Amino acid sequence: MKRYLTTIVLIATTLLCAAQQLTYQQYISSVTKNNTALIAQRMDIEIAQASVKSSKVYNDPTLSVEYGNNEDWETELGQSFAAQLSRTFTFGVRRAGIRLAEKELEAATAVFNNYARNLYADATTAYLQHLRAKALLATAAQRDTFMTELAHSDSLRFQRGEISKTVWLETRLAAGLVHNQRLEAETEYKNTKYALGYYTGNYDGIEQTTVEGTLGTIESILQPVDYYIEQAFTNRSDLAAATSNVEIAQAEKKLNSARRRIDLQLSIGAEYNDADPQFTKLKVGAAIPIKFSNLNNGARIREQAVVEKRQQELLDTRLQIQNEVMQAYNECKTAQRQVENFENSMVNETAELLYSKRKAYRMGEISFIEFIETERSDNIMNEEYINALFNKAASLVELQRCTGITKTEE
């Protein structure tokens, strides 16, 4: 097994020696700084912060000015001037509005953290997909090189009369198919680079970039599933967002309740009239609106229903999180067992069988059909082993996603 991994890494290094190397730390740091979707989501927090600031304003006063004239132009005693300054006082509305804005800020922060959690997990999976594509390309290149050499060797053997033309043509056709598979592997390898470019927010030089590391170096020791469920309930930002939604509904209920309270409008003003120039009237007034609309309890029923709905959504979120963690945990355990199964015997035994079949074919002891079937079985085994390594690493990323563990500097 170690011999196969070493061979894959050496071939990949030879093919990509001129490429720019990118570590996971550099990659995820670039995702954090440059991913356009993450930048856009982060702006929601700035918007919520501005809303908190704007919620702290007080009610503005009102200034009114009046001019009157009875059109008695001869005596000019019909003109009057009046000015009034008034302001409406609400009780508890501003405080409730501030609390609502603060809860919305908490929710916006939780939503952003949840988005970032999923983005980091997706970006890490893309990184692992590139490692898998690199390993599959190395395997395809190794097989392509061998089959090309075998086709050339059989061509010489055919010219010497050691094999029939049919066998020579079979070798050529098999080599052509293997070369096409290598071309597909190269395309997949390039496409995974473009995915990395998307997450890092930059495609410049991405085709010359390759990532460091191998799938075989990723190890993990699983804890009991209850540990991950507890971690999820502590760390999951979507659970925090659901909790914030309950608090927002409660804050909106309190704000609307404050708005239904009696308001008080106070005013002060002065009036001057030409008919009585020696006296200026001072006016002080108070106005209290009579809110007959409060007799309708539809708004209260609706607000309470919204609170209860958010509470049920919170309970459902907890159940969903627990379900996701248990499924991801089982997937992770299965993936680890599959890798162990490959590494215990399957990979080495297939390699030994292929070596003996290659030797037997060169010595003419077996037919080409028997040899190529072994060759294909070995190729399938190597690809399945690489996919098993990828599934093991990807399932660990998924388990971390479900538990809300965001590791951006590993």
Side-chain angles (χ1 to χ4, degrees):
M1 182 273 296
K2 293 183 178 179
R3 179 176 62 83
Y4 272 84
L5 285 177
T6 303
T7 303
I8 290 173
V9 173
L10 288 176
I11 293 175
T13 304
T14 302
L15 291 172
L16 306 168
C17 59
Q20 176 185 354
Q21 294 293 313
L22 180 68
T23 65
Y24 178 75
Q25 290 84 352
Q26 294 170 337
Y27 167 71
I28 208 68
S29 176
S30 182
V31 171
T32 302
K33 296 177 182 177
N34 302 321
N35 184 269
T36 53
L38 190 63
I39 293 173
Q41 287 291 326
R42 190 179 290 114
M43 295 182 69
D44 286 340
I45 298 179
E46 299 178 9
I47 294 171
Q49 289 172 339
S51 297
V52 172
K53 184 177 180 180
S54 64
S55 68
K56 297 179 180 180
V57 300
Y58 290 90
N59 292 337
D60 293 323
T62 301
L63 176 64
S64 61
V65 179
E66 296 181 3
Y67 168 75
N69 194 318
N70 60 6
E71 298 184 358
D72 185 359
W73 304 112
E74 294 181 359
T75 61
E76 297 183 355
L77 297 178
Q79 297 184 91
S80 65
F81 301 90
Q84 179 176 283
L85 184 65
S86 63
R87 181 184 172 192
T88 300
F89 292 87
T90 56
F91 302 97
V93 174
R94 177 176 176 273
R95 184 172 60 251
I98 294 174
R99 179 174 175 78
L100 174 59
E102 291 174 343
K103 293 301 179 182
E104 289 176 340
L105 174 59
E106 293 177 5
T109 303
V111 169
F112 169 77
N113 291 336
N114 187 56
Y115 183 87
R117 172 181 66 91
N118 287 309
L119 180 69
Y120 287 135
D122 292 341
T124 302
T125 301
Y127 189 91
L128 296 175
Q129 288 173 341
H130 184 69
L131 289 178
R132 177 178 63 177
K134 182 172 69 172
L136 290 174
L137 175 58
T139 300
Q142 183 184 35
R143 188 164 180 251
D144 183 34
T145 300
F146 172 78
M147 291 302 297
T148 300
E149 293 175 351
L150 182 64
H152 177 70
S153 175
D154 281 2
S155 176
L156 297 178
R157 292 173 64 191
F158 168 68
Q159 294 176 8
R160 294 194 299 265
E162 298 176 3
I163 59 175
S164 65
K165 184 177 181 180
T166 300
V167 175
W168 171 52
L169 291 176
E170 287 176 341
T171 307
R172 286 184 59 185
L173 291 173
L177 292 175
V178 170
H179 184 69
N180 283 341
Q181 293 172 357
R182 176 179 180 173
L183 295 177
E184 291 179 1
E186 289 176 348
T187 300
E188 180 63 21
Y189 176 73
K190 291 179 181 179
N191 287 341
T192 59
K193 287 186 177 182
Y194 297 139
L196 299 182
Y198 165 74
Y199 284 107
T200 56
N202 185 13
Y203 287 107
D204 294 339
I206 195 64
E207 293 186 358
Q208 287 73 42
T209 300
T210 185
V211 302
E212 292 183 356
T214 60
L215 295 172
T217 60
I218 300 174
E219 297 292 339
S220 63
I221 300 177
L222 291 181
Q223 302 291 334
V225 66
D226 292 340
Y227 167 81
Y228 296 103
I229 294 175
E230 182 180 354
Q231 288 291 312
F233 287 156
T234 302
N235 300 324
R236 282 285 289 263
S237 46
D238 54 343
L239 182 60
T243 302
S244 294
N245 287 336
V246 174
E247 294 175 347
I248 288 174
Q250 292 172 339
E252 288 179 338
K253 180 181 177 182
K254 290 182 179 179
L255 175 60
N256 292 329
S257 178
R259 287 173 175 168
R260 284 191 289 267
R261 295 173 186 168
I262 297 299
D263 299 334
L264 176 62
Q265 185 181 50
L266 298 179
S267 62
I268 183 172
E271 181 179 351
Y272 171 81
N273 196 311
D274 286 346
D276 194 4
Q278 295 181 356
F279 300 96
T280 299
K281 294 181 181 180
L282 295 179
K283 296 181 179 180
V284 177
I288 300 176
I290 302 175
K291 297 187 175 182
F292 290 108
S293 58
N294 288 343
L295 298 176
N296 188 320
N297 64 349
R300 296 183 182 85
I301 295 174
R302 175 189 175 279
E303 292 157 8
Q304 181 60 33
V306 170
V307 172
E308 293 176 359
K309 177 184 178 183
R310 296 292 181 262
Q311 290 172 340
Q312 290 298 319
E313 289 174 347
L314 175 60
L315 294 176
D316 183 66
T317 301
R318 290 179 62 88
L319 290 175
Q320 287 182 5
I321 289 174
Q322 187 172 354
N323 177 51
E324 291 173 5
V325 170
M326 290 189 295
Q327 290 189 11
Y329 182 82
N330 290 333
E331 292 289 342
C332 200
K333 287 185 63 176
T334 299
Q336 288 189 351
R337 291 173 181 172
Q338 289 176 337
V339 171
E340 291 172 359
N341 192 30
F342 275 106
E343 294 177 349
N344 285 339
S345 59
M346 294 174 64
V347 174
N348 290 333
E349 290 175 356
T350 304
E352 292 176 3
L353 178 61
L354 177 63
Y355 176 80
S356 63
K357 292 293 184 179
R358 284 180 175 178
K359 183 177 180 180
Y361 174 72
R362 291 183 186 276
M363 297 179 64
E365 297 176 357
I366 61 174
S367 66
F368 176 78
I369 297 298
E370 184 177 353
F371 159 72
I372 201 64
E373 286 299 323
T374 305
E375 180 76 22
R376 289 171 180 169
S377 297
D378 179 76
N379 180 62
I380 293 173
M381 182 67 66
N382 284 329
E383 290 182 351
E384 289 297 323
Y385 176 54
I386 292 171
N387 286 328
L389 289 174
F390 168 79
N391 290 336
K392 175 185 174 182
S395 65
L396 179 60
V397 172
E398 190 63 27
L399 181 59
Q400 291 180 344
R401 183 210 298 263
C402 291
T403 54
I405 301 174
T406 302
K407 298 183 180 181
T408 61
E409 296 183 356
E410 289 190 329

